[in-house]
Every structure is written in structure tokens, then in C-alpha cells.
Amino acid sequence: MGEADTPGLAVAQHERWAAPIDTGLRVSFRVYWYKLLHPLLERWGRFFLQGRQHRRYFVMPGDYVSGYTAKFGAFEAEEIAVARQVCRQALGAERLARSTMLDLGCHIGNYSVELGPDFGAVVAVDAVQSYVHVARANLAWNGLEGKSTVVCSAISDREGEVRLHMERHGNLGHARVSQEGDAASGATAVVPAISLDALVQRLGLQAVSFIKFDIEGHEIAALQGALQTIGQHAPVVQVEVDKGNLPAVLDRMRQTGVAYEAWQVVRGNPTRKGGLARLWTALRAGGNPVFVQKLAGQQANARHLPCVLLVPVALNVDWYTLFPVPAIVPMARGAEPMEAAAVAQTGDGPHPLQEVTAVVVTYNSAHCIGLLAQSLASWPHVTVVDNGSHDGTRECVARLMPRARWIGLDTNHGFGAANNLALAQVATPYALLINPDCLVGTLDACTLLQTARHWPGAAIVVPQLIDGKGRQQFNYGWPRLQWTSRGAAAQGPLCVGNACGAVMLLRLDALPTRQWFDTRFFLYYEDEDLCLRLFQAKQAVVVEPAVRVVHVNRGSVRGRRPLQMEYLRGMHHAMSKILFTAKHMGEVEARRQRRLALAQSLVVVVLRAVLPSPKHLARAWGRLAGFWRAPSRY
């Protein structure tokens, strides 16, 4: 690193490509095929793709707005995820919170939306008026309107005016900026040219820590007009580098006087050269893998580099620490994550789950205690809260789980209230809520804990739930009030807005009062209410699909009267649904939904009576009673 001590870019005399680092990101197959076919579809299938917009899951934990709408899938998701991780870990939350990010060429504002919550201010810039309008709407939709500024301007180092040539592409404009006289025909707008340095001065920006350049092939000219800003603030810089332009880009950066390292983001393993080899790698990895690779040298790049991250050498970024793949990426099917297995098998030192307390709420769950006791046998901290069972649950716990802490309640206080009571007494930093009908092994819990440590901003980490036949359950999605969940199953850790409470790892300092659940929800919807409140408070909920936990739906409660249990399930579900609507959407919407649900439930009861099924009839009758009794005011 001798060159890193001198101003300029730390590079060697001859270009060399350092060993690539697997980030753990996986591009889902659906998006992968869109990307492969994009050149053909763009030319011949434009009408086929119109309207095929999907709100997709992000491929890595990030923010609550992750999973933006983008044609052909999330083309920039991997680049955004890598940039976010570099900013968060290398710059730190405190610096980001008092600094500005600049999104040059914001288009529909993906970078602004995805990275914006971490920064104190966001400036989105584009030269196309229609893009500016879309970006402004996207920022407002995602709650960033108060901290963002959207500017319509052409960023370059050219003097005078530039002409904006429009080229129709889908239902938005695709812009290319050229000097006056290049092509007068087709010019639709004239805007004053302005350098980034001048824009920063005009807006009075005090601190700039991240700049994204996407100027449709004019990044070199734009960089020339940003030397003062880069030299003064030493931000992380992301730039798209067209074929052959890498030396010129590096030369511009050298003029800033700040030593930078250049890293490219690569979709697919760059060591696999052939198309079939890359496809085989994607098939084996469960999706097209995303790598980062250090660039060095002065030779012209042989291909278009969609994303080059320029990171100040002074930050001393350890990329292997940024992306510890074994800790967050599932191995082959049936294999254990390497780090978790190593930790669990060691006999020395503290127990790997010393920082976690398992919290189990039971109600007539004696039939579950045997298998539950086996899965929690080695855990150092286990708390069982019983909601007044009368089936011998207490005796089973005392016999099979003698080291567990017992909290016995005389009556059924409900799921949320019982959990709050236990969480108030937990002394460890984390608590893992486990339904009695879920089996969480030590290695599973270790992986969840590793994920929580790797993403310290996550308030909750949940696994992928599966049923008894190994089929995936839909135990996560986006908040019900935001949009309907769409997209394939998670390929790697990701941030969501809603997750099932059957298995939840809680970081307890996220809510120091320990009142995690709203006790007005007796049963059902308390987990969705919690996730929505965390979503609104900018607290992350992360899914770790490497952990697969068997969950038997409606398997945790049994009683001497099974039809009565089905009736009560239906009733509580209906009452909680209306209560959730009243709390988050208001009394008027709750009354409307209650009237509609009553009519629908009455029809279902009639059909169940005609086509008898005692269990389903009891549940339908309970839902009808629940909607009738449900209060429309929170």
C-alpha cells in the first residue's frame, strides 16, 4: 500500500484484476432471465414488457422501502446493496446522519429511495423533467420528501448551454446530453449547464459523503466538474464507466488529491468466463451471484463496467469483513452454515447462545413439549410463559425442561401480553420468541444471531418457515397498508415490512420499554401490528432464509373440545382484523370492512352448513361472531 500514502489513486503500473469477493447477494432467476433477454426484449418485445412491473424483494437487508418498482426487475439492486453496505460500515451511521448523498442521474430515484434513509439530506439530480417528477413522487411516497431536494439540471463541466435530446423508451424519457450543435434536430429542451461543484455551492451543502454518477456516458466530464467537491469532502463515489474510459476516470480522480481504491460490482462470478459456466454457477448458487473485484492499472477497460465504487483509501475498508459470506449465505441444501457449525461444535468458551433467551408462550400445549424440550435442551436461557393451561402443560415442562424458567398465569392473557411479561424479565441482549409448534435448533439460532450481529440495525430477524412437508410458507412480505407482497422467495437476507411472529429474534434495546406487543390484540395480528410500528419507526425487520424452521399451523393449541378451539380461533382472528384496521386506517374504514366481512362470513356459514365440515363450520361461525363483536374504534 505504498502508493496509498501519496495523493492519487492507489493503482499498479499494469492492470490486474484482484481475486473477486462473493458478496452473498443472489439475483433471483426471474430477474436474471430478464437481464439476459433484455437486449432482445428491448428491441423486439417492448410492448410485451409494458406493464410488467414488479415490486420485488431486495436481495440484502436494507431499508423499509427496499424492493422498488422497476421495469425488467431490479436492475440496480445489487449495486445499491453494495454501496449501502460500504457507506454504512465504512462511514458509520453518525457521519451519514449529518451528511448529504448526491444522486446524479436519478431517473426514477432508486438510489435516493434506497440509500436516502441513512443520510441527513438527499439531493437527486436529473436532466429530464419527466424523470424529476417521477423521482420526486417516489421520494415522497417513501417518506423522504422532507429531507430531499430534486433538481432538474444538466451536470457537466461544459460552459454555456447543452441540448437535451429525447429518445422514447417505454413510458418514460431516456436522455442523452450533448453540446449545442451536435444534433439540433430532436432537441426538446434547453437547460443551463452547471458543474457539480457549482451545484454544491448553490445549495449550500456542508457535507457530502456519497456521490452517484449516472450521466449517460458523460461521467468523465461530470467528474471534471466535481474535483473540488470530491477533494474537499472525500466521499464514496459510484460511477458507471463506459467501455475504454476507465483510465480517464481514474486520471480525473487522481486530480482530486484523495487516494482512492476502485472496486467493480459484477453480476456473476468473473472467474467463470463462458456463458454456460456462468449459468451453471447461477444454478448451483440459487441465483446469479454478485461479486466485488478490485481494479488496478491504467489500461483501457475491455467492457462496460456498470458500477465502479471509488472508496477513499483512508477509510481502510476490509471487504471480507463487509461481506462475510459463510455467516449469511446458505450452503448446499441440508448443510449447516460453516461459522454456526464451528461455534456450536466447540466445547470451550461460553455457549454460543449465551446472549439469547428463548421465550415460549404456551396454552394447552402439552403435546408439543416433548419435541420442544429436545430442540432447546442445550440452551442456557429458556423462559416458558403459560396462559392458564389445563392439559398438564406445567407438569410436562417441569419434567422435560427442568432448567427452564416458568411463569404461570391463572388465566389466558393472550399471546402479546404473555410475551411482554416474559420480555420484561429477560436479562440477555436478544430474545427468541418460539411458538410451541416450531422447532428451532441450536445451529438455526446461531445463524439468526449471526445475522442480527451482521445487521445491527435490525430490530427483528426471522427465519424462513416451512410446513411439515417442507413447503415454504409465506411468513414475510410488505406492510399490508403499503402494497401487496409480490415476487419470488428470498435468495438471501432481506429487509421486509411484515413477518410472522411464530419465530422472531428480537434485539431488545430496539424497544427498551420491552412493551413489544399491543395487548389489545388478544390473538392474531399482534405481530403484524408490531412490524408495521417498527416499519414506521425506521426499525428493520430482516428475513434470513438460510434458516428453515418447521411450523405446524394451528398446531400449538389443543384441548378437550377441538370444535370450541376452532370457534375461538375464528372469533379472535376476526376481532383482531377489525381492530388492526381501526388502529391503522381509522374508524370509517373499520366500519366499512366490518360490514363487508359480516356479509361474507354469513355466506360462508351458509355454505359450510350445506357442505358440512364441522371444523370449518365452527371456524366460520367463530369469524361471524368475531366480526359482529369487533369494535370499529381503536
Side-chain angles (χ1 to χ4, degrees):
M1 295 295 288
E3 295 176 69
D5 300 327
T6 60
L9 197 74
V11 295
Q13 293 299 319
H14 303 286
E15 180 169 349
R16 63 181 182 273
W17 303 82
I21 299 173
D22 190 348
T23 64
L25 301 171
R26 296 293 181 265
V27 182
S28 69
F29 280 112
R30 190 172 187 179
V31 176
Y32 182 37
W33 289 116
Y34 271 128
K35 293 180 186 224
L36 290 179
L37 299 176
H38 173 249
L40 293 175
L41 294 176
E42 181 185 13
R43 187 179 185 92
W44 303 109
R46 185 170 299 175
F47 292 102
F48 169 74
L49 289 175
Q50 287 296 323
R52 294 187 66 84
Q53 300 186 21
H54 304 279
R55 184 167 288 279
R56 302 198 59 81
Y57 290 121
F58 212 64
V59 291
M60 189 171 181
D63 301 301
Y64 317 88
V65 296
S66 297
Y68 51 80
T69 301
K71 202 175 291 294
F72 319 129
F75 265 23
E76 297 174 332
E78 312 87 7
E79 301 165 6
I80 292 174
V82 172
R84 175 194 288 111
Q85 187 67 355
V86 171
C87 288
R88 283 182 173 176
Q89 302 298 325
L91 301 177
E94 183 178 348
R95 177 176 174 181
L96 295 185
R98 50 184 172 82
S99 65
T100 301
M101 71 161 285
L102 293 171
D103 183 354
L104 307 184
C106 61
H107 295 347
I108 62 174
N110 293 340
Y111 275 81
S112 304
V113 167
E114 299 292 348
L115 272 68
D118 285 331
F119 290 84
V122 177
V123 177
V125 185
D126 209 290
V128 185
Q129 193 68 43
S130 61
Y131 279 137
V132 169
H133 289 317
V134 175
R136 182 176 290 113
N138 204 10
L139 288 164
W141 170 261
N142 289 287
L144 297 174
E145 189 174 27
K147 65 161 63 176
S148 62
T149 302
V150 184
V151 180
C152 182
S153 179
I155 299 294
S156 76
D157 65 334
R158 297 165 179 163
E159 299 296 333
E161 294 181 338
V162 295
R163 290 193 177 275
L164 195 65
H165 299 275
M166 298 300 295
E167 172 186 319
R168 295 309 299 170
H169 182 82
N171 54 6
L172 291 176
H174 189 72
R176 56 187 181 88
V177 181
S178 62
Q179 287 179 300
E180 184 171 1
D182 286 356
S185 61
T188 59
V190 178
V191 295
I194 183 172
S195 70
L196 177 64
D197 292 336
L199 180 64
V200 170
Q201 294 176 6
R202 175 180 297 181
L203 296 177
L205 302 180
Q206 299 300 315
V208 177
S209 58
F210 178 79
I211 305 176
K212 177 268 230 176
F213 287 94
D214 185 5
I215 318 295
E216 302 298 334
H218 292 274
E219 64 277 348
I220 299 174
L223 280 170
Q224 185 64 34
L227 298 182
Q228 179 181 345
T229 299
I230 296 174
Q232 178 181 352
H233 299 275
V236 174
V237 177
Q238 177 174 317
V239 58
E240 294 189 7
V241 181
D242 291 341
K243 183 176 180 179
N245 288 336
L246 181 60
V249 169
L250 301 185
D251 182 64
R252 292 293 190 278
M253 296 303 298
R254 193 174 292 105
Q255 297 174 28
T256 65
V258 180
Y260 276 89
E261 288 183 343
W263 290 76
Q264 69 165 331
V265 179
V266 185
R267 301 183 185 103
N269 189 339
T271 64
R272 310 304 295 270
K273 302 300 182 183
L276 290 178
R278 285 176 177 261
L279 176 60
W280 176 242
T281 300
L283 290 171
R284 293 185 62 190
N288 200 30
V290 180
F291 286 77
V292 290
Q293 188 174 30
K294 187 176 181 180
L295 304 177
Q298 294 298 303
Q299 298 178 10
N301 46 302
R303 64 181 185 274
H304 176 81
L305 302 178
C307 174
V308 174
L309 272 176
L310 303 170
V311 182
V313 172
L315 293 177
N316 195 27
V317 174
D318 183 348
W319 290 76
Y320 290 94
T321 301
L322 283 181
F323 300 104
V325 173
I328 63 173
V329 177
M331 303 297 111
R333 183 180 299 273
E336 298 290 352
M338 291 187 297
E339 185 176 340
V343 171
Q345 291 171 2
T346 181
D348 300 326
H351 193 281
L353 296 178
Q354 190 66 38
E355 296 182 341
V356 181
T357 298
V359 175
V360 183
V361 174
T362 59
Y363 176 67
N364 291 341
S365 306
H367 60 287
C368 298
I369 302 303
L371 292 176
L372 183 69
Q374 294 178 25
S375 66
L376 300 179
S378 65
W379 289 50
H381 309 292
V382 178
T383 297
V384 178
V385 186
D386 185 71
N387 264 323
S389 297
H390 44 73
D391 68 338
T393 296
R394 177 166 189 167
E395 290 74 15
C396 288
V397 172
R399 184 177 72 257
L400 301 175
M401 304 172 66
R403 294 191 298 117
R405 181 177 185 178
W406 173 266
I407 301 177
L409 305 177
D410 295 333
T411 58
N412 193 342
H413 289 211
F415 178 81
N419 272 304
N420 284 349
L421 180 63
L423 293 172
Q425 303 180 40
V426 170
T428 56
Y430 299 92
L432 184 63
L433 309 186
I434 305 175
N435 270 18
D437 58 354
C438 294
L439 301 179
V440 182
T442 303
L443 297 181
D444 295 333
C446 286
T447 305
L448 292 177
L449 181 59
Q450 290 169 10
T451 303
R453 289 169 175 167
H454 189 72
W455 310 111
I460 294 176
V461 179
V462 300
Q464 170 69 64
L465 297 182
I466 58 176
D467 62 18
K469 297 182 179 179
R471 296 172 299 193
Q472 291 185 341
Q473 297 180 350
F474 297 103
N475 63 297
Y476 56 86
W478 297 109
R480 187 182 302 271
L481 305 185
Q482 300 293 325
W483 51 78
T484 303
S485 300
R486 292 279 187 259
Q491 301 295 328
L494 56 89
C495 187
V496 297
N498 176 40
C500 174
V503 179
M504 274 186 169
L505 180 66
L506 312 181
R507 178 173 56 83
L508 294 182
D509 61 1
L511 288 178
T513 63
R514 305 295 175 91
Q515 295 297 307
W516 285 75
F517 295 101
D518 184 342
T519 56
R520 292 195 61 179
F521 294 92
F522 183 84
L523 184 63
Y524 299 114
Y525 282 88
E526 65 283 305
D527 48 2
E528 187 164 348
D529 170 73
L530 169 63
C531 290
L532 182 56
R533 287 187 284 115
L534 291 172
F535 183 97
Q536 295 166 342
K538 310 302 183 186
Q539 295 267 24
V541 177
V542 172
V543 171
E544 173 51 275
V547 179
R548 297 163 65 87
V549 174
V550 176
H551 174 224
V552 183
N553 278 326
R554 303 184 180 92
S556 61
V557 178
R558 286 184 186 173
R560 295 185 295 271
R561 300 174 180 176
L563 293 183
Q564 182 185 41
M565 298 306 303
E566 292 297 332
Y567 172 86
L568 292 175
R569 283 194 181 103
M571 184 187 70
H572 287 304
H573 188 276
M575 294 181 66
S576 293
K577 181 176 182 178
I578 300 302
L579 182 64
F580 179 87
T581 304
K583 179 176 181 178
H584 296 286
M585 302 178 68
E587 182 179 355
V588 174
E589 177 61 22
R591 290 184 182 277
R592 187 196 69 80
Q593 189 177 99
R594 180 171 173 266
R595 289 193 299 269
L596 179 62
L598 276 171
Q600 293 174 338
S601 298
L602 185 59
V603 172
V604 172
V605 168
V606 172
L607 290 176
R608 290 298 183 189
V610 174
L611 303 172
S613 170
K615 180 177 72 172
H616 292 95
L617 178 59
R619 192 183 307 161
W621 187 255
R623 287 177 62 81
L624 180 63
F627 285 128
W628 179 263
R629 297 173 53 184
S632 300
R633 178 181 299 177
Y634 177 74

